[in-house]
Each structure stands twice: as C-alpha cells, then as structure tokens.
C-alpha cells in the first residue's frame, strides 16, 4: 500500500441530499476511497441529508462501508429534502434558525474540518449558505435533471437518459402495432434537458419541454402530416414540467385550478387533447421514479468517481468553498457561489433543439 500523502483535512463529514439517482454511491466511493487510502482522512457518514446533521444521525465510515458500492443504485447514506434555512412554519424564521444552529453545533461537536455535500442546485446552495456561516464545504453536482449551473453535466443525468431512451424504444414498437400516439412523460419539473436528450436519442416525433410552451395545434398539424405519409403512429416525449402556451400565461392559482380539472400529468392532458383534436387513438405513460433507480450507467460511474476523487484532492489541499465540476472533458471546480440559487434551463437556441428540428421533430411551437 502506497504511503499516505499529506492532507490539510484530517476529518470530514459526507452527506447526500435532494432526489437520489444512480451514481451517488459511485461518487461516495470515489471521495472516500481517495480520502482514506491516499490521504488517511477520517470519514463521518451523515444520514439522510442535512437532517442527519440536525439530528446528529452519523457514523464513522470504514473501508468496507464504501467498498463494493460502485454499481449500487441509490445512496448508502440515505437522502432527504431537508432545507435547514427554510422554516417549516410559513413566514417564521425561528425553526430555520434552530435547524441552522443544530447543524453548526453537530459540525463543531464532531470536530469536522469540512462537510462534503452531494446534491443538486438546492443542496449546493445550502452548502454555500453554510460556507457563509463559517463551515468548510465542498459540493458535488448530482441530479438527473442536469440543471446545475457551473458544471457541463451532473452525474445521474446519463443514467436517467439511458432509462428514458430504453422506455421510448419500447413504446415505438407497441405504438406501431396499434397505430397509436403514445405520450411518455419524463422527469424534469423545471427544465427539459432530460426530455430533450431522451427525445432525440429515442427518435421522438414531438418533444415538449418547459422552456418552450407548446401549442396543441402545432402538435396536431405535425401528427396529421405524419398520418398523410402513412406514419400511423407517433411518440410524443414530454418533460413533466412542459406546459401549453395557455398554461404559461396563467398565474400559480389558475394553473393549480386548471390542473385540478384536467389532471396533474402533462402526458395525460396532451394525450387527451390529441385524441379530441384528431380522433387518433392515444395512450400515456409516466416513467416517474424508474428514472431515479437502478445501477448507474458506465458514463455516470466514470463521472461520479472522477468528481469524487477530485473532491478528495480539494479536501487534501484545504481548498474549501468549491463545487467540483465537468468543463468539457476536464474535471475542475468552481466557487460554491456559482450554482447558488440558480437553475440551468435549456437555452431556446441550444444546438440540441436545432438538431431535433433538423431530423423532423416537432417542438410544439411551429
Ligand atoms: O430533482 C430531480 C427530480 O427527480 C425531479 O426531476 C422530479 O420532479 C423531483 O426530483 C421529484 O422529487 P421527489 O423525489 O421529492 O418526489
């Protein structure tokens, strides 16, 4: 075994927060194996995101805890959407203040030199806010939505993309058998990266994303045009946050009322409207949490592992207050302020949208 390298960080805590995804355990393994084997650091595993710090639900992680987990889905630490800076009681800061104080108290009591957080834009934002409270924090970008500013890609995205694409492939065969229009809903409640990429990968005939409010008549014209050339079946790929032009003009209350009447799922709403407008037989499928489960893709294993070992190097250098990231083909890091409070939407001039249109895909707005 090689001799240990010097490290500024002697002991750190690690947590996973927000929605889980394939690749989290690969990232945990990357951080911990490098930190323990190369730098001799002591590792504290924190249960269920920030809730584990509030409740002091922690345990020492030993090599056998982070060995053999590369291909396991989910997270060995558990996850939650606990937001310490957000009070449970509307307009009251008291609870939030207590939770923030509890996190800082546990961090101090454990004698941590740093807190490593694996999560999406919300988790890295919380990490940055604790950095401003005086804690040393390092973030890793995790999400199937790929909506984190500061990194070209987050781990979890490619695994969900593979799952979504396989589902679309399967729907092609049954739609063709029955000459149906099938609408599949993928995750992405605010941004459409997953729907756009899976739609292109799966050859979706129509792709609907939140960034481009759709006109049902545009979809109907496209499906009619396909039928005229003998294409009696079609696949519509919709991100769960996709919305019609009419909905986009509604305020929150109106939209809530509309969805209470028409149904919460964009896939079922669009399928019904297509049937009403064209008479075509339609079906809807919501892929849901299938996109968050199972073993990580090879690409996500490589990205998660390399981000993890890069985080261990930052720990060793005492280079805190940063999020590791992918820039092009290189692993790098950005200040934690970069993702804070932001969300990376699909730019309407993004090349992948033009790619989809160039191969005949309808984006619902032509
Ligand atoms: O943020 C990732 C994500 O999977 C979204 O795409 C999805 O809408 C949301 O999490 C679901 O949240 P929860 O796991 O809390 O139901």
């Amino acid at each position: 075994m090689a001799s240990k390298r010097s490290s500024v960080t002697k002991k750190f805590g690690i947590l996973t927060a927000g929605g889980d995804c394939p690749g989290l355990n690969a990232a945990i393994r990357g951080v911990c194996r490098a930190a323990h084997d190369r730098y001799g650091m002591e590792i504290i595993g924190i249960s269920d995101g920030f809730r584990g710090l509030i409740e002091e639900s922690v345990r020492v992680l030993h090599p056998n805890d982070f060995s053999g987990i590369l291909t396991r889905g989910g997270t060995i630490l558990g996850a939650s959407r606990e937001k310490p800076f957000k009070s449970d009681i509307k307009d009251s800061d008291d609870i939030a203040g207590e939770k923030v104080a509890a996190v800082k108290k546990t961090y101090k009591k454990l004698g941590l030199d740093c807190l490593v957080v694996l999560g999406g834009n919300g988790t890295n934002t919380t990490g940055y806010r604790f950095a401003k409270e005086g804690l040393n924090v390092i973030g890793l970008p995790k999400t199937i939505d790929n909506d984190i500013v500061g990194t070209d890609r987050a781990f979890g995205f490619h695994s969900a993309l593979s799952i979504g694409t396989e589902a679309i492939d399967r729907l092609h065969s049954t739609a063709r058998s029955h000459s149906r229009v099938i609408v599949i809903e993928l995750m992405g409640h605010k941004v459409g990266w997953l729907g756009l990429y899976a739609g292109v990968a799966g050859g979706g005939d129509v792709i609907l994303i939140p960034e481009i409010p759709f006109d049902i008549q545009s979809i109907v014209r496209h499906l009619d045009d396909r039928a005229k050339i003998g294409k009696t079946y079609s696949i519509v790929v919709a991100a769960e946050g996709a919305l019609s032009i009419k909905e986009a003009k509604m305020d929150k209350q109106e939209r809530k009322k509309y969805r209470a009447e028409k149904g919460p799922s964009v896939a079922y709403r669009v399928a019904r409207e297509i049937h009403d407008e064209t008479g075509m037989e339609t079906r809807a499928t919501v892929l849901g949490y299938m996109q968050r489960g199972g073993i990580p893709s090879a690409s996500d294993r490589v990205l998660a592992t390399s981000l993890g070992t890069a985080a261990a190097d930052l720990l060793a250098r005492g280079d805190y207050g940063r999020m590791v990231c992918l820039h092009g083909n290189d692993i790098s890091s950005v200040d934690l302020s970069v993702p804070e409070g932001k969300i990376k939407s699909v730019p309407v001039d993004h090349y992948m949208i033009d790619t989809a249109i160039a191969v005949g895909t309808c984006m619902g707005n032509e």
Side-chain angles (χ1 to χ4, degrees), residues 74-95:
T75 160
I76 59 169
L77 297 174
S80 75
R81 290 190 181 275
E82 177 63 63
K83 293 181 170 57
F85 288 94
K86 188 173 179 188
S87 170
D88 297 335
I89 303 167
K90 192 165 169 41
D91 304 329
S92 154
D93 284 337
D94 296 347
I95 303 295

mmCIF file with all atom_site columns, all heavy atoms in Angstrom, residues 74-95:
data_model
loop_
_atom_site.group_PDB
_atom_site.id
_atom_site.type_symbol
_atom_site.label_atom_id
_atom_site.label_alt_id
_atom_site.label_comp_id
_atom_site.label_asym_id
_atom_site.label_entity_id
_atom_site.label_seq_id
_atom_site.pdbx_PDB_ins_code
_atom_site.Cartn_x
_atom_site.Cartn_y
_atom_site.Cartn_z
_atom_site.occupancy
_atom_site.B_iso_or_equiv
_atom_site.pdbx_formal_charge
_atom_site.auth_seq_id
_atom_site.auth_comp_id
_atom_site.auth_asym_id
_atom_site.auth_atom_id
_atom_site.pdbx_PDB_model_num
ATOM 1   N N   . GLY A 1 74 ? -29.084 4.186  -5.755 1.00 0.00 ? 74 GLY A N   1
ATOM 2   C CA  . GLY A 1 74 ? -29.429 4.856  -4.503 1.00 0.00 ? 74 GLY A CA  1
ATOM 3   C C   . GLY A 1 74 ? -28.209 5.400  -3.790 1.00 0.00 ? 74 GLY A C   1
ATOM 4   O O   . GLY A 1 74 ? -27.185 5.675  -4.400 1.00 0.00 ? 74 GLY A O   1
ATOM 5   N N   . THR A 1 75 ? -28.334 5.571  -2.456 1.00 0.00 ? 75 THR A N   1
ATOM 6   C CA  . THR A 1 75 ? -27.238 6.106  -1.650 1.00 0.00 ? 75 THR A CA  1
ATOM 7   C C   . THR A 1 75 ? -27.170 5.356  -0.325 1.00 0.00 ? 75 THR A C   1
ATOM 8   O O   . THR A 1 75 ? -28.190 5.247  0.367  1.00 0.00 ? 75 THR A O   1
ATOM 9   C CB  . THR A 1 75 ? -27.401 7.624  -1.387 1.00 0.00 ? 75 THR A CB  1
ATOM 10  O OG1 . THR A 1 75 ? -26.609 7.996  -0.244 1.00 0.00 ? 75 THR A OG1 1
ATOM 11  C CG2 . THR A 1 75 ? -28.841 8.055  -1.140 1.00 0.00 ? 75 THR A CG2 1
ATOM 12  N N   . ILE A 1 76 ? -25.982 4.884  0.024  1.00 0.00 ? 76 ILE A N   1
ATOM 13  C CA  . ILE A 1 76 ? -25.839 4.132  1.283  1.00 0.00 ? 76 ILE A CA  1
ATOM 14  C C   . ILE A 1 76 ? -26.107 5.026  2.496  1.00 0.00 ? 76 ILE A C   1
ATOM 15  O O   . ILE A 1 76 ? -26.362 4.541  3.592  1.00 0.00 ? 76 ILE A O   1
ATOM 16  C CB  . ILE A 1 76 ? -24.428 3.514  1.417  1.00 0.00 ? 76 ILE A CB  1
ATOM 17  C CG1 . ILE A 1 76 ? -23.337 4.595  1.378  1.00 0.00 ? 76 ILE A CG1 1
ATOM 18  C CG2 . ILE A 1 76 ? -24.209 2.427  0.373  1.00 0.00 ? 76 ILE A CG2 1
ATOM 19  C CD1 . ILE A 1 76 ? -21.956 4.093  1.767  1.00 0.00 ? 76 ILE A CD1 1
ATOM 20  N N   . LEU A 1 77 ? -26.078 6.348  2.273  1.00 0.00 ? 77 LEU A N   1
ATOM 21  C CA  . LEU A 1 77 ? -26.257 7.284  3.399  1.00 0.00 ? 77 LEU A CA  1
ATOM 22  C C   . LEU A 1 77 ? -27.719 7.664  3.595  1.00 0.00 ? 77 LEU A C   1
ATOM 23  O O   . LEU A 1 77 ? -28.096 8.236  4.620  1.00 0.00 ? 77 LEU A O   1
ATOM 24  C CB  . LEU A 1 77 ? -25.422 8.559  3.163  1.00 0.00 ? 77 LEU A CB  1
ATOM 25  C CG  . LEU A 1 77 ? -23.909 8.369  3.102  1.00 0.00 ? 77 LEU A CG  1
ATOM 26  C CD1 . LEU A 1 77 ? -23.225 9.680  2.716  1.00 0.00 ? 77 LEU A CD1 1
ATOM 27  C CD2 . LEU A 1 77 ? -23.361 7.864  4.438  1.00 0.00 ? 77 LEU A CD2 1
ATOM 28  N N   . GLY A 1 78 ? -28.553 7.386  2.572  1.00 0.00 ? 78 GLY A N   1
ATOM 29  C CA  . GLY A 1 78 ? -29.929 7.899  2.632  1.00 0.00 ? 78 GLY A CA  1
ATOM 30  C C   . GLY A 1 78 ? -29.941 9.367  2.217  1.00 0.00 ? 78 GLY A C   1
ATOM 31  O O   . GLY A 1 78 ? -28.905 10.040 2.215  1.00 0.00 ? 78 GLY A O   1
ATOM 32  N N   . ALA A 1 79 ? -31.108 9.853  1.840  1.00 0.00 ? 79 ALA A N   1
ATOM 33  C CA  . ALA A 1 79 ? -31.229 11.253 1.384  1.00 0.00 ? 79 ALA A CA  1
ATOM 34  C C   . ALA A 1 79 ? -32.539 11.822 1.894  1.00 0.00 ? 79 ALA A C   1
ATOM 35  O O   . ALA A 1 79 ? -33.465 11.090 2.243  1.00 0.00 ? 79 ALA A O   1
ATOM 36  C CB  . ALA A 1 79 ? -31.195 11.311 -0.146 1.00 0.00 ? 79 ALA A CB  1
ATOM 37  N N   . SER A 1 80 ? -32.592 13.150 1.956  1.00 0.00 ? 80 SER A N   1
ATOM 38  C CA  . SER A 1 80 ? -33.853 13.837 2.281  1.00 0.00 ? 80 SER A CA  1
ATOM 39  C C   . SER A 1 80 ? -33.814 15.200 1.608  1.00 0.00 ? 80 SER A C   1
ATOM 40  O O   . SER A 1 80 ? -32.774 15.615 1.087  1.00 0.00 ? 80 SER A O   1
ATOM 41  C CB  . SER A 1 80 ? -33.986 14.037 3.804  1.00 0.00 ? 80 SER A CB  1
ATOM 42  O OG  . SER A 1 80 ? -33.113 15.100 4.225  1.00 0.00 ? 80 SER A OG  1
ATOM 43  N N   . ARG A 1 81 ? -34.952 15.874 1.607  1.00 0.00 ? 81 ARG A N   1
ATOM 44  C CA  . ARG A 1 81 ? -35.014 17.225 1.056  1.00 0.00 ? 81 ARG A CA  1
ATOM 45  C C   . ARG A 1 81 ? -35.068 18.253 2.194  1.00 0.00 ? 81 ARG A C   1
ATOM 46  O O   . ARG A 1 81 ? -35.544 19.364 2.019  1.00 0.00 ? 81 ARG A O   1
ATOM 47  C CB  . ARG A 1 81 ? -36.214 17.362 0.125  1.00 0.00 ? 81 ARG A CB  1
ATOM 48  C CG  . ARG A 1 81 ? -36.059 16.568 -1.168 1.00 0.00 ? 81 ARG A CG  1
ATOM 49  C CD  . ARG A 1 81 ? -37.121 16.900 -2.180 1.00 0.00 ? 81 ARG A CD  1
ATOM 50  N NE  . ARG A 1 81 ? -36.982 16.121 -3.401 1.00 0.00 ? 81 ARG A NE  1
ATOM 51  C CZ  . ARG A 1 81 ? -36.181 16.449 -4.416 1.00 0.00 ? 81 ARG A CZ  1
ATOM 52  N NH1 . ARG A 1 81 ? -35.442 17.532 -4.304 1.00 0.00 ? 81 ARG A NH1 1
ATOM 53  N NH2 . ARG A 1 81 ? -36.108 15.704 -5.505 1.00 0.00 ? 81 ARG A NH2 1
ATOM 54  N N   . GLU A 1 82 ? -34.491 17.889 3.343  1.00 0.00 ? 82 GLU A N   1
ATOM 55  C CA  . GLU A 1 82 ? -34.453 18.819 4.491  1.00 0.00 ? 82 GLU A CA  1
ATOM 56  C C   . GLU A 1 82 ? -33.717 20.096 4.108  1.00 0.00 ? 82 GLU A C   1
ATOM 57  O O   . GLU A 1 82 ? -32.606 20.040 3.577  1.00 0.00 ? 82 GLU A O   1
ATOM 58  C CB  . GLU A 1 82 ? -33.729 18.160 5.661  1.00 0.00 ? 82 GLU A CB  1
ATOM 59  C CG  . GLU A 1 82 ? -33.558 19.041 6.887  1.00 0.00 ? 82 GLU A CG  1
ATOM 60  C CD  . GLU A 1 82 ? -34.881 19.439 7.512  1.00 0.00 ? 82 GLU A CD  1
ATOM 61  O OE1 . GLU A 1 82 ? -35.602 18.538 7.964  1.00 0.00 ? 82 GLU A OE1 1
ATOM 62  O OE2 . GLU A 1 82 ? -35.182 20.645 7.529  1.00 0.00 ? 82 GLU A OE2 1
ATOM 63  N N   . LYS A 1 83 ? -34.336 21.237 4.328  1.00 0.00 ? 83 LYS A N   1
ATOM 64  C CA  . LYS A 1 83 ? -33.723 22.526 3.984  1.00 0.00 ? 83 LYS A CA  1
ATOM 65  C C   . LYS A 1 83 ? -33.575 23.346 5.275  1.00 0.00 ? 83 LYS A C   1
ATOM 66  O O   . LYS A 1 83 ? -34.514 24.049 5.668  1.00 0.00 ? 83 LYS A O   1
ATOM 67  C CB  . LYS A 1 83 ? -34.582 23.263 2.962  1.00 0.00 ? 83 LYS A CB  1
ATOM 68  C CG  . LYS A 1 83 ? -34.646 22.606 1.570  1.00 0.00 ? 83 LYS A CG  1
ATOM 69  C CD  . LYS A 1 83 ? -35.496 23.415 0.600  1.00 0.00 ? 83 LYS A CD  1
ATOM 70  C CE  . LYS A 1 83 ? -35.368 22.916 -0.834 1.00 0.00 ? 83 LYS A CE  1
ATOM 71  N NZ  . LYS A 1 83 ? -35.728 21.489 -0.994 1.00 0.00 ? 83 LYS A NZ  1
ATOM 72  N N   . PRO A 1 84 ? -32.424 23.276 5.952  1.00 0.00 ? 84 PRO A N   1
ATOM 73  C CA  . PRO A 1 84 ? -32.264 23.923 7.262  1.00 0.00 ? 84 PRO A CA  1
ATOM 74  C C   . PRO A 1 84 ? -32.556 25.424 7.260  1.00 0.00 ? 84 PRO A C   1
ATOM 75  O O   . PRO A 1 84 ? -33.025 25.965 8.260  1.00 0.00 ? 84 PRO A O   1
ATOM 76  C CB  . PRO A 1 84 ? -30.794 23.670 7.606  1.00 0.00 ? 84 PRO A CB  1
ATOM 77  C CG  . PRO A 1 84 ? -30.405 22.482 6.798  1.00 0.00 ? 84 PRO A CG  1
ATOM 78  C CD  . PRO A 1 84 ? -31.196 22.574 5.539  1.00 0.00 ? 84 PRO A CD  1
ATOM 79  N N   . PHE A 1 85 ? -32.302 26.074 6.131  1.00 0.00 ? 85 PHE A N   1
ATOM 80  C CA  . PHE A 1 85 ? -32.514 27.534 6.103  1.00 0.00 ? 85 PHE A CA  1
ATOM 81  C C   . PHE A 1 85 ? -33.967 27.899 5.818  1.00 0.00 ? 85 PHE A C   1
ATOM 82  O O   . PHE A 1 85 ? -34.335 29.058 5.803  1.00 0.00 ? 85 PHE A O   1
ATOM 83  C CB  . PHE A 1 85 ? -31.593 28.177 5.051  1.00 0.00 ? 85 PHE A CB  1
ATOM 84  C CG  . PHE A 1 85 ? -30.142 28.193 5.453  1.00 0.00 ? 85 PHE A CG  1
ATOM 85  C CD1 . PHE A 1 85 ? -29.300 27.172 5.037  1.00 0.00 ? 85 PHE A CD1 1
ATOM 86  C CD2 . PHE A 1 85 ? -29.638 29.191 6.275  1.00 0.00 ? 85 PHE A CD2 1
ATOM 87  C CE1 . PHE A 1 85 ? -27.963 27.156 5.422  1.00 0.00 ? 85 PHE A CE1 1
ATOM 88  C CE2 . PHE A 1 85 ? -28.302 29.190 6.658  1.00 0.00 ? 85 PHE A CE2 1
ATOM 89  C CZ  . PHE A 1 85 ? -27.460 28.162 6.235  1.00 0.00 ? 85 PHE A CZ  1
ATOM 90  N N   . LYS A 1 86 ? -34.787 26.879 5.555  1.00 0.00 ? 86 LYS A N   1
ATOM 91  C CA  . LYS A 1 86 ? -36.189 27.156 5.221  1.00 0.00 ? 86 LYS A CA  1
ATOM 92  C C   . LYS A 1 86 ? -37.070 26.688 6.374  1.00 0.00 ? 86 LYS A C   1
ATOM 93  O O   . LYS A 1 86 ? -37.035 25.521 6.747  1.00 0.00 ? 86 LYS A O   1
ATOM 94  C CB  . LYS A 1 86 ? -36.583 26.404 3.938  1.00 0.00 ? 86 LYS A CB  1
ATOM 95  C CG  . LYS A 1 86 ? -37.960 26.784 3.400  1.00 0.00 ? 86 LYS A CG  1
ATOM 96  C CD  . LYS A 1 86 ? -38.210 26.132 2.055  1.00 0.00 ? 86 LYS A CD  1
ATOM 97  C CE  . LYS A 1 86 ? -39.611 26.483 1.506  1.00 0.00 ? 86 LYS A CE  1
ATOM 98  N NZ  . LYS A 1 86 ? -39.929 25.695 0.282  1.00 0.00 ? 86 LYS A NZ  1
ATOM 99  N N   . SER A 1 87 ? -37.788 27.603 6.955  1.00 0.00 ? 87 SER A N   1
ATOM 100 C CA  . SER A 1 87 ? -38.588 27.232 8.120  1.00 0.00 ? 87 SER A CA  1
ATOM 101 C C   . SER A 1 87 ? -39.774 26.372 7.697  1.00 0.00 ? 87 SER A C   1
ATOM 102 O O   . SER A 1 87 ? -40.349 26.587 6.640  1.00 0.00 ? 87 SER A O   1
ATOM 103 C CB  . SER A 1 87 ? -39.120 28.487 8.806  1.00 0.00 ? 87 SER A CB  1
ATOM 104 O OG  . SER A 1 87 ? -40.068 28.082 9.766  1.00 0.00 ? 87 SER A OG  1
ATOM 105 N N   . ASP A 1 88 ? -40.150 25.418 8.559  1.00 0.00 ? 88 ASP A N   1
ATOM 106 C CA  . ASP A 1 88 ? -41.353 24.615 8.270  1.00 0.00 ? 88 ASP A CA  1
ATOM 107 C C   . ASP A 1 88 ? -42.607 25.457 8.472  1.00 0.00 ? 88 ASP A C   1
ATOM 108 O O   . ASP A 1 88 ? -43.659 25.191 7.947  1.00 0.00 ? 88 ASP A O   1
ATOM 109 C CB  . ASP A 1 88 ? -41.412 23.396 9.221  1.00 0.00 ? 88 ASP A CB  1
ATOM 110 C CG  . ASP A 1 88 ? -40.211 22.485 8.969  1.00 0.00 ? 88 ASP A CG  1
ATOM 111 O OD1 . ASP A 1 88 ? -39.697 22.543 7.834  1.00 0.00 ? 88 ASP A OD1 1
ATOM 112 O OD2 . ASP A 1 88 ? -39.764 21.804 9.897  1.00 0.00 ? 88 ASP A OD2 1
ATOM 113 N N   . ILE A 1 89 ? -42.459 26.460 9.317  1.00 0.00 ? 89 ILE A N   1
ATOM 114 C CA  . ILE A 1 89 ? -43.632 27.305 9.623  1.00 0.00 ? 89 ILE A CA  1
ATOM 115 C C   . ILE A 1 89 ? -43.551 28.556 8.731  1.00 0.00 ? 89 ILE A C   1
ATOM 116 O O   . ILE A 1 89 ? -42.569 29.285 8.763  1.00 0.00 ? 89 ILE A O   1
ATOM 117 C CB  . ILE A 1 89 ? -43.623 27.719 11.113 1.00 0.00 ? 89 ILE A CB  1
ATOM 118 C CG1 . ILE A 1 89 ? -43.580 26.453 11.988 1.00 0.00 ? 89 ILE A CG1 1
ATOM 119 C CG2 . ILE A 1 89 ? -44.836 28.597 11.435 1.00 0.00 ? 89 ILE A CG2 1
ATOM 120 C CD1 . ILE A 1 89 ? -43.262 26.736 13.427 1.00 0.00 ? 89 ILE A CD1 1
ATOM 121 N N   . LYS A 1 90 ? -44.597 28.754 7.916  1.00 0.00 ? 90 LYS A N   1
ATOM 122 C CA  . LYS A 1 90 ? -44.572 29.858 6.947  1.00 0.00 ? 90 LYS A CA  1
ATOM 123 C C   . LYS A 1 90 ? -44.258 31.183 7.644  1.00 0.00 ? 90 LYS A C   1
ATOM 124 O O   . LYS A 1 90 ? -44.781 31.477 8.709  1.00 0.00 ? 90 LYS A O   1
ATOM 125 C CB  . LYS A 1 90 ? -45.940 29.947 6.244  1.00 0.00 ? 90 LYS A CB  1
ATOM 126 C CG  . LYS A 1 90 ? -45.943 30.852 5.019  1.00 0.00 ? 90 LYS A CG  1
ATOM 127 C CD  . LYS A 1 90 ? -47.181 30.617 4.168  1.00 0.00 ? 90 LYS A CD  1
ATOM 128 C CE  . LYS A 1 90 ? -47.335 31.696 3.092  1.00 0.00 ? 90 LYS A CE  1
ATOM 129 N NZ  . LYS A 1 90 ? -46.086 32.097 2.416  1.00 0.00 ? 90 LYS A NZ  1
ATOM 130 N N   . ASP A 1 91 ? -43.334 31.941 7.009  1.00 0.00 ? 91 ASP A N   1
ATOM 131 C CA  . ASP A 1 91 ? -43.001 33.297 7.494  1.00 0.00 ? 91 ASP A CA  1
ATOM 132 C C   . ASP A 1 91 ? -42.421 33.296 8.902  1.00 0.00 ? 91 ASP A C   1
ATOM 133 O O   . ASP A 1 91 ? -42.501 34.276 9.601  1.00 0.00 ? 91 ASP A O   1
ATOM 134 C CB  . ASP A 1 91 ? -44.266 34.191 7.475  1.00 0.00 ? 91 ASP A CB  1
ATOM 135 C CG  . ASP A 1 91 ? -44.887 34.228 6.080  1.00 0.00 ? 91 ASP A CG  1
ATOM 136 O OD1 . ASP A 1 91 ? -44.092 34.105 5.118  1.00 0.00 ? 91 ASP A OD1 1
ATOM 137 O OD2 . ASP A 1 91 ? -46.098 34.310 5.964  1.00 0.00 ? 91 ASP A OD2 1
ATOM 138 N N   . SER A 1 92 ? -41.929 32.142 9.345  1.00 0.00 ? 92 SER A N   1
ATOM 139 C CA  . SER A 1 92 ? -41.283 32.173 10.664 1.00 0.00 ? 92 SER A CA  1
ATOM 140 C C   . SER A 1 92 ? -39.826 31.727 10.498 1.00 0.00 ? 92 SER A C   1
ATOM 141 O O   . SER A 1 92 ? -39.568 30.699 9.897  1.00 0.00 ? 92 SER A O   1
ATOM 142 C CB  . SER A 1 92 ? -41.982 31.190 11.626 1.00 0.00 ? 92 SER A CB  1
ATOM 143 O OG  . SER A 1 92 ? -41.038 30.794 12.612 1.00 0.00 ? 92 SER A OG  1
ATOM 144 N N   . ASP A 1 93 ? -38.931 32.523 10.981 1.00 0.00 ? 93 ASP A N   1
ATOM 145 C CA  . ASP A 1 93 ? -37.506 32.154 10.869 1.00 0.00 ? 93 ASP A CA  1
ATOM 146 C C   . ASP A 1 93 ? -37.050 31.324 12.050 1.00 0.00 ? 93 ASP A C   1
ATOM 147 O O   . ASP A 1 93 ? -35.976 30.776 12.065 1.00 0.00 ? 93 ASP A O   1
ATOM 148 C CB  . ASP A 1 93 ? -36.654 33.431 10.767 1.00 0.00 ? 93 ASP A CB  1
ATOM 149 C CG  . ASP A 1 93 ? -36.784 34.028 9.353  1.00 0.00 ? 93 ASP A CG  1
ATOM 150 O OD1 . ASP A 1 93 ? -37.124 33.234 8.437  1.00 0.00 ? 93 ASP A OD1 1
ATOM 151 O OD2 . ASP A 1 93 ? -36.580 35.231 9.180  1.00 0.00 ? 93 ASP A OD2 1
ATOM 152 N N   . ASP A 1 94 ? -37.897 31.247 13.097 1.00 0.00 ? 94 ASP A N   1
ATOM 153 C CA  . ASP A 1 94 ? -37.415 30.589 14.325 1.00 0.00 ? 94 ASP A CA  1
ATOM 154 C C   . ASP A 1 94 ? -36.904 29.181 14.046 1.00 0.00 ? 94 ASP A C   1
ATOM 155 O O   . ASP A 1 94 ? -35.789 28.843 14.361 1.00 0.00 ? 94 ASP A O   1
ATOM 156 C CB  . ASP A 1 94 ? -38.572 30.525 15.342 1.00 0.00 ? 94 ASP A CB  1
ATOM 157 C CG  . ASP A 1 94 ? -38.974 31.940 15.735 1.00 0.00 ? 94 ASP A CG  1
ATOM 158 O OD1 . ASP A 1 94 ? -38.172 32.856 15.403 1.00 0.00 ? 94 ASP A OD1 1
ATOM 159 O OD2 . ASP A 1 94 ? -40.043 32.136 16.292 1.00 0.00 ? 94 ASP A OD2 1
ATOM 160 N N   . ILE A 1 95 ? -37.790 28.354 13.435 1.00 0.00 ? 95 ILE A N   1
ATOM 161 C CA  . ILE A 1 95 ? -37.398 26.939 13.253 1.00 0.00 ? 95 ILE A CA  1
ATOM 162 C C   . ILE A 1 95 ? -36.127 26.864 12.413 1.00 0.00 ? 95 ILE A C   1
ATOM 163 O O   . ILE A 1 95 ? -35.204 26.147 12.704 1.00 0.00 ? 95 ILE A O   1
ATOM 164 C CB  . ILE A 1 95 ? -38.541 26.144 12.588 1.00 0.00 ? 95 ILE A CB  1
ATOM 165 C CG1 . ILE A 1 95 ? -39.810 26.251 13.435 1.00 0.00 ? 95 ILE A CG1 1
ATOM 166 C CG2 . ILE A 1 95 ? -38.114 24.709 12.373 1.00 0.00 ? 95 ILE A CG2 1
ATOM 167 C CD1 . ILE A 1 95 ? -39.692 25.595 14.806 1.00 0.00 ? 95 ILE A CD1 1
#
